[in-house]
Amino acid sequence: MMRTRPLKVALLGCGVVGSEVARIMTTHADDLAARIGAPVELAGVAVRRPDKVREGIPAELITTDATALVKRGDLDVVVEVIGGIEPARSLITTAFEHGASVVSANKALLAQDGAALHAAAEEHGRDLYYEAAVAGAIPLIRPLRESLAGDKVNRVLGIVNGTTNFILDKMDTTGAGYQEALDEATALGYAEADPTADVEGFDAAAKAAILAGIAFHTRVRLDDVYREGMTEVTAADFASAKEMGCTIKLLAICERAEDGASVTARVHPAMIPLSHPLASVRGAYNAVFVESDASGQLMFYGPGAGGAPTASAVLGDLVAVCRNRLAGATGPGESAYAALPVSPMGEVVTRYHISLDVADKPGVLAQVATVFAEHGVSIDTVRQQGKDGEASLVVVTHRASDAALGGTVEALRKLDTVRGVASIMRVEGE
Amino acid sequence: MMRTRPLKVALLGCGVVGSEVARIMTTHADDLAARIGAPVELAGVAVRRPDKVREGIPAELITTDATALVKRGDLDVVVEVIGGIEPARSLITTAFEHGASVVSANKALLAQDGAALHAAAEEHGRDLYYEAAVAGAIPLIRPLRESLAGDKVNRVLGIVNGTTNFILDKMDTTGAGYQEALDEATALGYAEADPTADVEGFDAAAKAAILAGIAFHTRVRLDDVYREGMTEVTAADFASAKEMGCTIKLLAICERAEDGASVTARVHPAMIPLSHPLASVRGAYNAVFVESDASGQLMFYGPGAGGAPTASAVLGDLVAVCRNRLAGATGPGESAYAALPVSPMGEVVTRYHISLDVADKPGVLAQVATVFAEHGVSIDTVRQQGKDGEASLVVVTHRASDAALGGTVEALRKLDTVRGVASIMRVEGE
């Protein structure tokens, strides 16, 4: 029973992802039609540079007027793969107003304005799907939203940025420094000319906001996410991590507080044990580890970026949204009923690995230990190493709040015998 | 906007999984109501032993008459966690006839009669969901069915039985033999008193049939799945695997033939490289590795069994099915449009690791190599080892069909110089 009227799909953006979406829509048209229950038709493609040759896309579908395209009124679905805040936000809102559902891959926009966009979708009885916005091809949003809908998620630990994982993996396996590993990532096309969004954690922070919102049924905005980049991670940090049986990953961490009354979301480099499933995520791969009441520990692994993987996620959403159109229904919308407060970073509780450069004389350890004790931070292990008249002290703490640790470090810096704080690294996933 | 009429759910079976489903439905009632958009009410629980104390379940809900329960006519959803073919099949069919949707965790039934059950669901406009039937809590059926609906899956490699993975992991890490590892699994509760269904691969074969059907949009029945248990795997096999940089896992493998015109499904022990993400799946955990055209490589990891994890999968389905009821819609049903033929095991193409006990005299290698060549099986590497007048020969082949390999082995056994074929193991995941 195949409907004859095709579903009309407009594509906003025809770069790496968009062209792959168009290609698969053409080459796999029969499969898509069978899976949806009706054929899908590419009704228009909005681009910035109309003169560029776009193989397989009929010239008459190309337009530079994206606004006119989304206002046509006969579209079933608008696929937004432009990225950035504007004009994507206005185009999506206009698409809803003119009766289309929307599939988006836009993490920055969803992290910033997800609530308003969901509200617009709901107002017009349309779908807003965005599996491709987090961790590329890895099915993550649908499993969190739907498969775990009967469970209680307590923690999400994710490697959600392929560029930084490539760099950290390179540092880990070759002993390279940050700059050397970044240069290789750039040469191989894993890092952009300006890598700021990746290495400073902005990209991961947007994904953390989206994941936390879905996991905890609570609105979490980009501004709520603590963010620390990984440009300060050194070869020495990796050596310290190895001594602890750990490696270092840039993690997006979304947690429910132990009392369940609040949540936190943060992005920073962290040591994780080599035995943790995330430790063996290599190269530019992504993986997200989910801990929940009933399921225990789940992990989702795959390519976090790239044209084809991201297009696969977009098309999965497209099939679902088209099926909903045919059924006259919509899928799950925003679920923010829990509305838990998002706590600041100071309230995050974890363990810390701190390297101090100290004077090599008696009593230093006692002084340092006193400072930790005064701030209520309990020490797990201390390792003291002499080197050329100086000494280093590596302290690993028990669980303590970020605020308490911050106070400890501030006080340590004021000690005459502490020459410097070489590094502070959180320890996760234990 | 909360509907006031609760959705009525009947539970068939109240063992390890069922009691956990009932418990979560009670303790997380508010969350479930918020996520569904209406409260859910446990309307009845069918059990075999009514006298057993079932904490938290009101006695008046308990019945031994499952048929009367599913015939009530006012049920929205029937959750079937009895297992086995009958009476589960009749009860599910009756539930559809009386207007209920069904959530099932019954892999054996789905693998044997999935097509008929799907047809019954469709005939009555109801849903049949069964995420819990494959790999417990791991979201797998929904991602394959929905997230990858715009992609083309080429191969599924799964560790889908926790008991056998526990045993093989134990053999790998401790050097134990099969019986010793099985005894430990039994003592720890990972293996049942009669472990046949697990160690002979019957459980994994049912899951392979379900996964292949969904991945390839093709009906694959249990009878279509080649099955070989793991009771013959020895400590010597693990030693050989280590020399190859591999470990041994019991894998469920669903593959599209290279020409795309047919599919195969099989369960057997296999060597996989230590660098493969499946190699580091420890203990009783499950993981499924999916290779597809656009997404590349994805992996889904988590607990494959247990009351709470399985209940989480059941409840995720319950939320989805309840939402569909409220929307007056149904989710994706069976997708078997591709209807590809399922090829027999002989047509499977892979690599092989073969250990032969041979006479320690000149010319043996030449004889053996000739047999491989005559059967069109190309040799990749040969390793010869002398021991006490005898010698062993380890041959690793290039890719060859199972039929060609079978013919080769048969001919090898007839050689005077071949004392025995110590082991034949497929090599996968390269």
Side-chain angles (χ1 to χ4, degrees):
Chain A
M1 277 199 319
M2 183 72 71
R3 266 171 47 129
T4 46
R5 182 182 86 75
L7 291 157
K8 294 193 176 179
V9 178
L11 193 54
L12 309 182
C14 199
V16 178
V17 176
S19 58
E20 191 64 19
V21 169
R23 189 189 68 74
I24 298 176
M25 280 183 66
T26 310
T27 56
H28 289 57
D30 291 348
D31 280 321
L32 291 172
R35 295 171 194 184
I36 290 167
V40 279
E41 176 190 307
L42 193 57
V45 181
V47 301
R48 270 185 307 181
R49 287 172 298 163
D51 304 331
K52 199 175 152 190
V53 176
R54 295 168 204 278
E55 210 178 320
I57 301 178
E60 65 270 24
L61 294 184
I62 304 284
T63 173
T64 54
D65 191 346
T67 305
L69 180 58
V70 297
K71 281 185 173 174
R72 274 174 46 158
D74 66 340
L75 298 177
D76 293 286
V77 186
V78 168
V79 174
E80 184 270 307
V81 286
I82 305 174
I85 305 300
E86 283 294 351
R89 176 170 51 194
S90 302
L91 291 170
I92 290 174
T93 309
T94 308
F96 289 137
E97 287 163 3
H98 289 80
S101 284
V102 171
V103 174
S104 171
N106 194 328
K107 57 190 168 277
L109 179 58
L110 266 303
Q112 184 178 306
D113 288 314
L117 294 174
H118 273 296
E122 193 174 347
E123 183 190 340
H124 295 96
R126 292 296 177 258
D127 276 324
L128 172 60
Y129 275 47
Y130 45 91
E131 182 68 76
V134 181
I138 310 175
L140 205 54
I141 294 188
R142 184 173 280 104
L144 276 177
R145 256 190 181 175
E146 302 180 37
S147 306
L148 293 175
D151 207 334
K152 185 182 170 195
V153 176
N154 295 312
R155 183 180 288 120
V156 178
L157 286 179
I159 296 172
V160 293
N161 181 276
T163 305
T164 48
N165 200 59
F166 179 90
I167 294 170
L168 291 169
D169 187 26
K170 193 52 71 176
M171 292 174 72
D172 187 23
T173 51
T174 67
Y178 166 70
Q179 190 59 49
E180 189 186 336
L182 171 62
D183 290 347
E184 184 170 347
T186 310
L188 292 172
Y190 286 117
E192 294 183 49
D194 175 1
T196 309
D198 294 319
V199 300
E200 295 296 353
F202 291 101
D203 173 84
K207 293 164 178 169
I210 296 171
L211 287 175
I214 295 171
F216 304 133
H217 301 271
T218 285
R219 279 182 193 153
V220 179
R221 287 170 50 98
L222 186 52
D223 296 346
D224 298 322
V225 182
Y226 172 83
R227 181 194 52 74
E228 205 178 288
M230 44 69 76
T231 59
E232 309 287 317
V233 177
T234 63
D237 290 329
F238 272 101
S240 297
K242 283 207 172 81
E243 279 175 28
M244 300 238 327
C246 287
T247 185
I248 298 170
K249 296 291 187 188
L250 183 72
L251 296 181
I253 304 175
C254 312
E255 274 180 325
R256 198 185 285 277
E258 274 172 35
D259 65 2
S262 65
V263 299
T264 52
R266 52 193 164 114
V267 169
H268 55 70
M271 293 186 182
I272 55 167
L274 292 172
S275 58
H276 194 284
L278 286 175
S280 49
V281 176
R282 299 277 167 224
Y285 272 86
N286 281 198
V288 176
F289 191 81
V290 179
E291 298 175 28
S292 60
D293 264 5
S295 304
Q297 305 183 326
L298 301 172
M299 190 172 79
F300 305 82
Y301 165 97
T310 308
S312 171
V314 167
L315 285 160
D317 278 355
L318 180 65
V319 169
V321 167
C322 285
R323 287 182 47 89
N324 290 344
R325 292 291 294 222
L326 292 183
T330 53
E334 185 186 31
S335 177
Y337 73 89
L340 296 168
V342 185
S343 299
M345 187 62 188
E347 294 182 23
V348 164
V349 173
T350 187
R351 294 177 66 204
Y352 305 85
H353 177 285
I354 304 135
S355 295
L356 304 171
D357 292 326
V358 297
D360 192 6
K361 56 184 182 186
V364 173
L365 177 54
Q367 270 192 318
V368 166
T370 302
V371 170
F372 275 89
E374 283 170 355
H375 289 83
V377 178
S378 171
I379 292 176
D380 181 14
T381 60
V382 180
R383 205 174 59 246
Q384 214 164 354
Q385 282 176 326
K387 52 170 188 188
D388 308 331
E390 292 232 330
S392 77
L393 213 55
V394 173
V395 178
V396 180
T397 74
H398 286 296
R399 285 167 63 77
S401 76
D402 206 81
L405 194 279
T408 308
V409 170
E410 203 176 321
L412 288 171
R413 288 190 204 276
K414 289 181 185 153
L415 290 181
D416 287 344
T417 48
V418 171
R419 306 267 163 83
V421 179
S423 86
I424 305 166
M425 185 93 55
R426 296 175 186 87
V427 185
E428 307 285 345
E430 292 182 300
Chain B
M1 277 199 319
M2 184 71 72
R3 267 171 46 130
T4 46
R5 183 180 87 73
L7 291 158
K8 293 193 176 179
V9 178
L11 193 53
L12 308 182
C14 198
V16 178
V17 176
S19 57
E20 190 64 19
V21 169
R23 190 189 67 75
I24 298 176
M25 280 183 65
T26 310
T27 56
H28 289 56
D30 291 348
D31 280 322
L32 292 172
R35 295 171 193 184
I36 290 167
V40 280
E41 175 191 308
L42 193 57
V45 181
V47 301
R48 269 184 308 181
R49 288 172 298 163
D51 303 331
K52 198 176 152 190
V53 176
R54 296 167 205 278
E55 211 179 320
I57 301 179
E60 66 269 24
L61 295 184
I62 304 283
T63 175
T64 54
D65 191 346
T67 305
L69 179 59
V70 297
K71 281 185 174 173
R72 275 174 46 157
D74 65 341
L75 299 176
D76 293 287
V77 186
V78 168
V79 173
E80 182 271 306
V81 286
I82 306 175
I85 304 300
E86 283 295 351
R89 177 171 51 195
S90 302
L91 291 169
I92 290 175
T93 309
T94 308
F96 289 136
E97 287 164 1
H98 289 79
S101 285
V102 172
V103 174
S104 171
N106 194 328
K107 56 190 170 279
L109 178 57
L110 266 303
Q112 184 178 305
D113 287 314
L117 294 175
H118 273 295
E122 193 175 347
E123 182 190 338
H124 296 96
R126 292 296 177 259
D127 276 324
L128 172 61
Y129 276 46
Y130 45 90
E131 183 67 77
V134 181
I138 311 175
L140 205 53
I141 294 188
R142 185 174 279 104
L144 276 176
R145 257 189 179 175
E146 302 180 35
S147 305
L148 293 175
D151 208 334
K152 185 181 171 195
V153 176
N154 295 312
R155 183 180 288 120
V156 178
L157 285 180
I159 296 171
V160 293
N161 180 276
T163 305
T164 48
N165 201 58
F166 179 90
I167 294 170
L168 291 169
D169 187 26
K170 192 53 71 178
M171 293 174 72
D172 187 22
T173 51
T174 68
Y178 166 71
Q179 189 59 48
E180 189 186 337
L182 171 62
D183 290 346
E184 184 171 348
T186 310
L188 292 172
Y190 286 116
E192 295 182 48
D194 176 0
T196 309
D198 295 318
V199 301
E200 295 295 354
F202 291 101
D203 173 84
K207 294 164 178 170
I210 296 172
L211 287 175
I214 295 172
F216 304 133
H217 301 270
T218 285
R219 280 184 191 150
V220 179
R221 288 171 50 99
L222 186 52
D223 296 344
D224 297 322
V225 182
Y226 173 83
R227 182 194 51 75
E228 205 177 287
M230 44 70 76
T231 60
E232 309 287 316
V233 177
T234 63
D237 290 329
F238 272 101
S240 298
K242 282 207 172 81
E243 279 175 28
M244 300 237 330
C246 286
T247 186
I248 298 170
K249 296 290 186 187
L250 182 72
L251 296 181
I253 304 175
C254 313
E255 275 179 326
R256 199 185 284 278
E258 274 172 37
D259 65 2
S262 65
V263 299
T264 52
R266 52 193 164 115
V267 168
H268 55 71
M271 292 186 183
I272 55 167
L274 292 173
S275 58
H276 194 284
L278 286 175
S280 49
V281 176
R282 298 278 166 223
Y285 272 85
N286 281 198
V288 176
F289 191 80
V290 179
E291 298 175 27
S292 61
D293 264 5
S295 304
Q297 305 183 327
L298 300 173
M299 190 172 79
F300 305 82
Y301 165 99
T310 309
S312 171
V314 167
L315 285 160
D317 278 355
L318 180 65
V319 169
V321 167
C322 286
R323 287 182 47 88
N324 290 344
R325 291 292 294 222
L326 293 183
T330 54
E334 185 186 32
S335 176
Y337 73 90
L340 296 167
V342 185
S343 299
M345 187 62 189
E347 293 182 24
V348 164
V349 173
T350 187
R351 295 177 65 202
Y352 305 85
H353 176 285
I354 303 134
S355 295
L356 303 171
D357 293 325
V358 296
D360 192 6
K361 58 184 181 185
V364 173
L365 178 54
Q367 271 192 318
V368 167
T370 302
V371 170
F372 276 89
E374 283 170 355
H375 289 82
V377 179
S378 171
I379 291 176
D380 180 16
T381 60
V382 180
R383 203 174 59 245
Q384 214 163 354
Q385 282 175 326
K387 51 172 188 187
D388 309 331
E390 291 235 328
S392 77
L393 213 55
V394 173
V395 179
V396 181
T397 73
H398 285 295
R399 285 168 63 77
S401 76
D402 205 81
L405 195 278
T408 308
V409 170
E410 203 176 321
L412 287 172
R413 288 189 202 275
K414 289 180 185 152
L415 289 181
D416 287 343
T417 49
V418 172
R419 306 266 163 83
V421 179
S423 88
I424 305 165
M425 185 92 56
R426 296 174 187 89
V427 185
E428 306 286 343
E430 291 181 302

